[in-house]
DNA sequence: TCACTTATGGACCGTTCGGTACATAATATT
DNA sequence: AATATTATGTACCGAACGGTCCATAAGTGA
């Protein structure tokens, strides 16, 4: 057993709550008070466990990218074709656009726009995350090309960057309140670029 | 002549300085102190002239979109073809990516990601700006189609939304530190979608 | 039971936040 | 010269900011 007084809160759960808060409100607009409330942690325990607000963000970013990438990899593994995976991921944004609730966008995109230029640590983290995301798309494109659904006239590297770019754009468009039809149209044009 | 004591600062200049500050640092991270310094305005004059930090942002957004749209319209007017205009605008991002200096992205994109979900006034402003931007692209596509450089199998509305989406994505990618080759590749794929 | 270790509650820190109040300064009009 | 009007400088506001400190609580193993 661990020595000393046991934690009264769930670390993973607290981290996830913090992640959602940063995701929803951004870094600056999320106050320590906000975090303590949603994480259900006392201030002492907060600094003891997570170091600082900034370090917490780093951990949240890591959690976000890890779960996102893992989930995408799994989905790709289960997908019928590389192309259908790509289509499914893009079309996931239609649901997001249809939601009446809050549209949080993508934490990586949000953080990039808010902090990347003045915070090198965070910039590095999102750059890595973005590269991982591109990696998944690249794998999907490669598979699609092997399967004969995606033409060979463009490299997986180039096409995956293009896909990431459209994902990033769409996340922002949805957050900005673009209507569902617009999103659908963009996805369709994006998909035809793979044909 | 105007009555009362004359202003000791240039309103337009101050507004533009504020815009650059919001553009560079975002809304929350820009403090009133920051604004007073770059605008070269006393606190009293600030509140007298601009109302509040939030109202100032609204005015900055209006300034940003107006100058952006005006500049794009002029460029389109002078462009040889609708297609070449689109290409030129997209390729402008390559220079941005090459800059050693700060990459501020797009104020509308930044503000959308930071505020749109919780600030309806701002959301409305960026939605209007986005629509204007799309309008310019739409006009360019229409012209390109008339000129025979852009196929007719997709409507100007759809293609312009697609172009806006890639612009938004690219602005964020550049801000996130994407290298020049990546940006170039994305632009190329985007352009082939118009052919 | 007693030390040892870790977690928690709460008081406290100086600083900065956005914003207001008001006396004073600088102009135009009469 | 007096007055009306607008701009500015300065002092001030309460609240919130992120973060520290330390006494106390709640477990462990000896």
């Amino acid at each position: 057993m661990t020595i000393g007084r046991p934690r009264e809160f769930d670390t993973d759960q607290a981290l996830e709550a913090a992640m959602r808060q940063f995701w929803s409100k951004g870094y600056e607009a999320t106050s320590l008070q906000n975090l303590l409330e949603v994480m259900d942690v006392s201030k002492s325990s907060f600094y003891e466990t997570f170091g600082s607000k900034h370090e917490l963000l780093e951990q949240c970013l890591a959690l976000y990218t890890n779960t996102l990438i893992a989930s995408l990899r799994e989905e790709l593994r289960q997908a019928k074709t590389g192309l259908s995976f790509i289509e499914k991921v893009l079309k996931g944004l239609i649901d997001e656009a249809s939601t009446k609730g809050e549209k949080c966008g993508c934490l990586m995109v949000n953080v990039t726009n808010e902090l990347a230029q003045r915070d090198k640590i965070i910039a590095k983290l999102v750059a890595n995350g973005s590269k991982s995301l591109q990696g998944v798309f690249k794998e999907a494109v490669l598979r699609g090309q092997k399967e004969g659904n995606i033409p060979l006239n463009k490299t997986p590297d180039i096409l995956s960057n293009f896909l990431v770019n459209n994902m990033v754009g769409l996340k922002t468009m949805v957050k900005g309140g673009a209507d569902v039809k617009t999103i659908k149209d963009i996805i369709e044009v994006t998909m035809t670029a793979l044909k």
Side-chain angles (χ1 to χ4, degrees), chain A residues 27 54 57-58 115-124:
Chain A
Y27 181 68
H54 191 273
L57 177 64
E58 298 173 37
L115 300 172
Q117 279 299 303
R118 57 191 162 97
D119 189 328
K120 294 188 177 175
I121 296 175
I122 299 299
K124 183 74 184 171

Side-chain angles (χ1 to χ4, degrees), chain A residues 79-136:
Chain A
K80 286 179 188 160
T81 67
L83 190 63
S84 71
F85 163 79
I86 293 168
E87 189 166 18
K88 191 173 177 190
V89 170
L90 288 178
K91 288 194 172 170
L93 284 157
I94 296 173
D95 304 329
E96 238 176 282
S98 314
T99 302
K100 290 289 171 191
E102 199 184 8
K103 290 147 189 165
C104 296
C106 167
L107 181 60
M108 284 196 284
V109 173
N110 298 351
V111 164
T112 296
N113 277 298
E114 186 179 359
L115 300 172
Q117 279 299 303
R118 57 191 162 97
D119 189 328
K120 294 188 177 175
I121 296 175
I122 299 299
K124 183 74 184 171
L125 283 172
V126 294
N128 290 344
S130 171
K131 197 160 193 71
S132 297
L133 179 61
Q134 188 227 336
V136 178

Side-chain angles (χ1 to χ4, degrees), chain A residues 20-126:
Chain A
R20 278 197 300 262
Q21 194 71 4
F22 283 137
W23 194 356
S24 161
K25 299 186 52 178
Y27 181 68
E28 301 284 353
T30 297
S31 73
L32 207 59
Q33 213 54 39
N34 290 151
L35 290 168
L36 301 184
E37 285 162 14
V38 301
M39 296 171 80
D40 197 30
V41 172
S42 76
K43 195 176 264 198
S44 316
S45 303
F46 177 90
Y47 281 100
E48 174 68 24
T49 310
F50 301 101
S52 67
K53 189 186 173 187
H54 191 273
E55 288 170 72
L56 175 64
L57 177 64
E58 298 173 37
Q59 297 166 47
C60 288
L61 266 174
L63 172 62
Y64 182 84
T65 56
N66 288 342
T67 54
L68 174 66
I69 299 301
S71 143
L72 285 175
R73 281 201 197 289
E74 179 57 24
E75 201 160 341
L76 173 56
R77 207 184 55 79
Q78 290 180 6
K80 286 179 188 160
T81 67
L83 190 63
S84 71
F85 163 79
I86 293 168
E87 189 166 18
K88 191 173 177 190
V89 170
L90 288 178
K91 288 194 172 170
L93 284 157
I94 296 173
D95 304 329
E96 238 176 282
S98 314
T99 302
K100 290 289 171 191
E102 199 184 8
K103 290 147 189 165
C104 296
C106 167
L107 181 60
M108 284 196 284
V109 173
N110 298 351
V111 164
T112 296
N113 277 298
E114 186 179 359
L115 300 172
Q117 279 299 303
R118 57 191 162 97
D119 189 328
K120 294 188 177 175
I121 296 175
I122 299 299
K124 183 74 184 171
L125 283 172
V126 294

Side-chain angles (χ1 to χ4, degrees), chain A residues 137-147 150 156:
Chain A
F137 278 124
K138 188 170 161 184
E139 217 173 294
V141 169
L142 198 62
R143 188 173 140 191
Q145 288 181 331
K146 280 180 186 162
E147 291 162 345
I150 298 177

